[in-house]
Every structure is written in C-alpha cells, then in structure tokens.
C-alpha cells in the first residue's frame, strides 16, 4: 500500500486575512499558499519582504509552500510599454523567492481580469452561500454597463432578450453589485475601473488569441534560464471561466491549450496548476482525460467542484458533489504523487459561506469553515483511495 500523501495547503492572504494562521492549523493544513499582495504588480519582491512573510508563517509551525500569485504585469501580457524591465523584475523576484527556499509559483495569463463571477452569495438549498456565474448577468454587464459594441453580435438571442428584461427591471443595488463583482480583482489589490477595462479590451482585440499565446511563450522563454538555474516550478492557472468573456482572448482553457503550453516550452520548470473548478466549468472539458495527459506537469492543484447547466451557467458546489469527477481526479493525483520527489501541494479551493461565517467579512470564496469542510472531505477521499490501494 502506498502511503505518500499530497501536501495539504491553504491560501492565506497575509496578516490582513480574517482567517488566521492558527485557524489554518486547526483546519489541518500544513502548507501555506500566499503572496505579497501589498507589492504593486511589476515591482520586485525583495528578499527582506519575502523573509518577513516567511517568518510569520514559520513562527506558526507552518511552511510557505507555494506563491500564488506572482502576478504577471499587463505590459508583459500585452508585450508593450515597460515589458523588458518588467521581465527583469519578475526574474529578480523569482531569484529572491528561490533564495528564500520557495520554488513553486502560480500565475495566470488571463487578460486584465482574474477569475470572474456575477454573484458572490447564491443561496443554496441548505442555506450556505456560493459563488455563481450567470450568462444573463454577464450580458447585462457587457451590454448595458460596459456597453461594448461587439457584444450585441456575440450573445445568443435568448440571452440578449433575458438580459434586456433583467436590465429593464433591475434596481440600482443589483447593478452596482454586479458591476463591482465583475470588476473585482484579488481582494487586497483593488478593482479596476470600467474605463480601464474598455481600454484593455481594445488592446486585446488587436492582440487576439494568437498574439496572447505568443506573448505567453515569450514570457516563459524569458524566465526559463532563471527558473532552471534555481529549481523553480512555474504553474499556470487555467482561465476562469474557461471560455472568452467580454471579448477578451483566452489561452489556458482546455487540453489543447495546456498541451501547447507545455510542449512549446518543453522544460521542467514549465508546469500547470490543475484547477478543477476552472477547467470544470466548461461544457466540453473532460477533466480526467486532461489530467491523464498533463499530470507529469502538475506541480500544484486547486480542488473544488462546480454544477453547470446546459447554457454554461455554473455555481460552486460542495467539493465532492458536482460535475467534476473528484474521485478520479484525486486518484490520478495520488498515483502521480507516488513517483514525485516532493509531494504535490493541493488546496481546497474556495468554500461555501456557511455556519458562523455567514455575514462575516471574508474574501469571497475564502471563508474558513467552507474550506475546512472541503479540506476534510478531500483528505478523507485521499485516505480512502490510499488505504484501499486503488492506485
Ligand atoms: C481564485 C483563484 C485565482 C488564482 C489566480 C492565479 O480564487 O483561483 O485568483 O489565484 O488566478 O494567478
């Protein structure tokens, strides 16, 4: 019977996070996933700042296992402006992280917006609250708030009709909340404005999917030597949701994209953060099939589940109850983990707002109890798989 467990980690937003390191210890995680959110995108993470965070984590008896994210500046994604200097800064941050013993780094290459939802408090049957993505709400934002010209040609007729109806009957609370949620970035990093979103959409229109793919490969090539010299593993986070929204291109949404990325820069450092909730929101992704083909490049995993409907709306369901075949995903990860030098870190990604967390100020998706439940379920699943020798 194999006995090698995945590394159980937990995202911590730093000293400002309302979930404390001691809460995390009680939840049972041993590794921390964190980032220096107070440093503006593009600036160098100095050894002093990294060490400060690392010490806080270690004083609690925990380990800083993964950086999520070392953000890729928009000028790098668009390969414009100050991109040469920004690449140098990025590599310097990587060197500093490695010098402090942190070698697994998560990043994304999504234009402008990180993950996108249209509602943060969808009430479930049992009273807990979940993050939700609804195409009609997105169309309301796109057509009537952002007022993107091409949008009218992109949505299906019935979505447009329903969006019009929803908009005409909407009150300002709904519209303000929708606007804020779509424009939301990482909590401590602030929202972007409608104006800058419009500008970015224009910029990415001329870059397109092919251009963004090229810029990503260029980015990987630029950081390759540093990563190889310092044993750094880069893990790209899939697009969330995994299809184009608001006219922005997507390059990490499905098996084809991921295979392209790992084969085009075929170096050990170039890996994947296997996020089941992001990839799982697509109608066409078969996650087990994807994982079978890319598992050797998975250096980090986000485990969560989604329930989708036929038009592509989805909400975040319980970790073991949704459209993602979590049993087979964990089985494959456990199998892959047996041959690894270092255990693959995973974190229970997002959790419901539930029990005492309802009404508490927490980062959307990152309340304590929902994630604690997710982690407990996932650990149980892993133990069951390992104990029954199913790998
Ligand atoms: C959402 C997260 C993302 C992720 C970044 C990685 O909860 O999965 O914010 O951390 O996209 O760069």
């Amino acid at each position: 019977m194999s006995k090698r467990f995945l590394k159980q980690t937990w995202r911590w937003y730093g000293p400002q996070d309302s979930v404390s390191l001691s809460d995390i210890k009680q939840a049972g995680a041993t590794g921390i996933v964190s980032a220096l959110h107070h440093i503006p995108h593009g600036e160098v993470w100095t050894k002093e700042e990294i060490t400060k965070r690392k010490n806080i984590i270690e004083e609690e008896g925990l380990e800083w296992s993964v950086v999520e994210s070392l953000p890729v500046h928009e000028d790098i994604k668009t390969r414009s402006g100050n991109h040469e200097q920004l690449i140098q800064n990025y590599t310097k941050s990587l060197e500093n992280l490695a010098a402090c013993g942190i070698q697994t780094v998560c990043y994304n290459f999504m234009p402008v917006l990180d993950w996108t939802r249209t509602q943060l408090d969808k009430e479930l049957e049992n009273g807990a609250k979940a993050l939700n993505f609804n195409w009609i709400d997105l169309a309301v934002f796109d057509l009537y708030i952002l007022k993107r010209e091409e949008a009218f040609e992109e949505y299906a007729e019935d979505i447009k009709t329903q969006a019009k109806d929803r908009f005409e009957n909407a009150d300002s609370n709904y519209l303000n909340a929708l606007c804020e949620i779509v424009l939301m970035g990482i909590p401590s990093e602030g929202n972007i404005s409608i104006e800058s979103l419009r500008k970015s959409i224009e910029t990415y229109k001329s870059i397109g999917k092919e251009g963004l793919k090229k810029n990503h490969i260029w980015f990987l090539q630029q950081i390759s030597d540093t990563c190889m010299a310092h044993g750094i593993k880069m893990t790209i986070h899939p697009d969330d949701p995994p299809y184009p929204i608001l006219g922005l291109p997507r390059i990490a949404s499905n098996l084809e994209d991921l295979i392209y990325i790992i084969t085009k820069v075929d170096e050990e450092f170039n890996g994947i953060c296997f996020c089941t909730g992001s990839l799982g929101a697509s109608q066409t992704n078969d996650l087990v099939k994807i994982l079978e083909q890319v598992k050797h490049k998975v250096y980090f995993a986000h485990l969560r589940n989604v329930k989708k409907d036929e038009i592509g709306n989805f909400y975040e369901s319980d970790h073991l109850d949704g459209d993602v075949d979590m049993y087979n995903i964990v089985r494959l990860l456990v199998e892959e983990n047996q041959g690894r030098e270092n255990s693959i870190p995973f974190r229970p990604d997002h959790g419901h707002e539930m029990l005492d967390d309802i009404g508490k100020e927490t980062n959307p998706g990152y309340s304590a109890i929902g994630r604690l439940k997710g982690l407990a379920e996932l650990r149980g699943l892993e133990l069951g798989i390992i104990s029954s020798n199913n790998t």
Side-chain angles (χ1 to χ4, degrees):
M1 180 174 80
S2 61
K3 282 239 172 69
R4 194 138 196 275
F5 285 83
L6 300 163
K7 175 93 184 160
Q8 296 160 13
T9 69
W10 186 283
R11 188 177 204 173
W12 186 57
Y13 281 100
Q16 315 301 332
D17 197 326
S18 56
V19 181
S20 69
L21 290 172
S22 110
D23 295 341
I24 297 173
K25 267 203 320 206
Q26 289 179 37
T30 55
I32 294 294
V33 174
S34 198
L36 304 180
H37 297 288
H38 57 284
I39 300 183
H41 290 197
E43 281 183 20
V44 174
W45 289 16
T46 62
K47 280 190 206 154
E48 291 69 33
E49 285 294 320
I50 297 166
T51 307
K52 222 198 276 173
R53 176 66 56 88
K54 189 172 183 245
N55 288 343
I56 298 175
I57 293 170
E58 288 179 357
E59 270 156 30
E60 278 289 340
L62 294 160
E63 171 198 293
W64 188 356
S65 312
V66 180
V67 168
E68 180 179 358
S69 298
L70 182 57
V72 181
H73 194 280
E74 282 296 306
D75 281 2
I76 294 180
K77 292 180 188 168
T78 55
R79 212 169 155 182
S80 63
N82 218 4
H83 59 294
E84 301 283 356
Q85 178 63 47
L86 287 160
I87 284 283
Q88 283 181 33
N89 292 359
Y90 201 94
T91 10
K92 189 71 204 154
S93 299
L94 289 174
E95 277 168 20
N96 290 344
L97 282 164
C100 297
I102 304 155
Q103 289 163 303
T104 305
V105 175
C106 179
Y107 71 101
N108 72 70
F109 223 77
M110 287 181 253
V112 219
L113 301 168
D114 198 306
W115 56 305
T116 303
R117 297 290 180 274
T118 54
Q119 188 193 5
L120 304 178
D121 58 355
K122 178 186 166 70
E123 189 149 335
L124 305 175
E125 243 173 76
N126 64 8
K129 292 175 183 177
L131 306 186
N132 188 33
F133 178 91
N134 181 284
W135 273 112
I136 299 157
D137 291 323
L138 192 77
V140 169
F141 174 82
D142 203 356
L143 300 169
Y144 301 108
I145 300 176
L146 185 64
K147 302 192 173 88
R148 188 169 61 90
E149 268 172 37
E150 294 82 358
F152 280 93
E153 287 134 49
E154 290 171 12
Y155 291 95
E157 283 309 317
D158 61 327
I159 302 253
K160 278 192 287 193
T161 313
Q162 291 184 69
K164 183 165 184 277
D165 189 55
R166 198 168 287 184
F167 176 68
E168 283 170 355
N169 293 298
D171 61 21
S172 59
N173 287 344
Y174 160 81
L175 293 173
N176 291 340
L178 178 63
C179 194
E180 195 173 317
I181 293 164
V182 175
L183 297 176
M184 201 181 71
I186 294 292
S188 45
E189 297 172 2
N191 289 12
I192 68 157
S193 70
I194 286 272
E195 229 5 86
S196 70
L197 177 59
R198 281 199 190 109
K199 267 200 206 126
S200 295
I201 289 173
E202 273 313 302
T203 307
Y204 282 103
K205 213 195 284 178
S206 49
I207 293 175
K209 180 172 169 132
E210 285 315 307
L212 190 61
K213 273 166 86 172
K214 275 198 196 118
N215 294 354
H216 178 230
I217 298 303
W218 169 78
F219 162 71
L220 290 172
Q221 285 162 346
Q222 297 297 306
I223 61 169
S224 170
D225 288 349
T226 304
C227 292
M228 295 303 281
H230 297 279
I232 289 168
K233 300 274 197 292
M234 294 298 293
T235 70
I236 185 164
H237 187 281
D239 304 323
D240 182 3
Y243 29 75
I245 51 164
L246 310 175
L248 294 164
R250 294 299 214 193
I251 59 154
S253 295
N254 51 41
L255 178 62
E256 197 192 339
D257 290 344
L258 297 178
I259 294 284
Y260 179 85
I261 293 166
I262 58 179
T263 49
K264 196 78 186 165
V265 180
D266 188 13
E267 303 278 4
E268 201 186 334
F269 84 90
N270 182 23
I272 292 164
C273 164
F274 196 77
C275 177
T276 55
S278 302
L279 292 167
S282 146
Q283 307 282 33
T284 45
N285 282 342
D286 175 342
L287 266 63
V288 173
K289 193 169 138 210
I290 299 179
L291 186 54
E292 269 162 357
Q293 300 205 34
V294 303
K295 60 185 182 202
H296 58 294
K297 285 293 193 162
V298 171
Y299 303 138
F300 183 31
H302 287 179
L303 300 180
R304 76 178 156 83
N305 222 319
V306 286
K307 279 195 180 166
K308 300 169 277 195
D309 68 13
E310 56 301 329
I311 66 163
N313 300 321
F314 66 87
Y315 71 90
E316 300 188 358
S317 55
D318 277 319
H319 288 74
L320 301 188
D321 176 31
D323 296 337
V324 173
D325 177 359
M326 201 57 88
Y327 167 75
N328 277 308
I329 296 295
V330 174
R331 184 183 59 74
L332 282 171
L333 286 173
V334 165
E335 194 179 284
E336 175 64 23
N337 195 40
Q338 302 315 308
R340 290 291 179 94
E341 201 179 312
N342 300 307
S343 282
I344 304 169
F346 81 94
R347 63 177 180 82
D349 194 18
H350 303 181
H352 292 155
E353 196 181 324
M354 58 189 285
L355 305 178
D356 277 6
D357 277 340
I358 293 185
K360 250 193 214 164
E361 190 65 33
T362 55
N363 294 323
Y366 290 92
S367 53
I369 302 171
R371 282 187 290 164
L372 183 152
K373 180 182 174 197
L375 179 60
E377 292 183 346
L378 291 163
R379 291 161 80 191
L381 175 59
E382 186 190 17
L383 179 66
I385 288 170
I386 289 181
S387 308
S388 62
N389 205 11
N390 263 348
T391 62

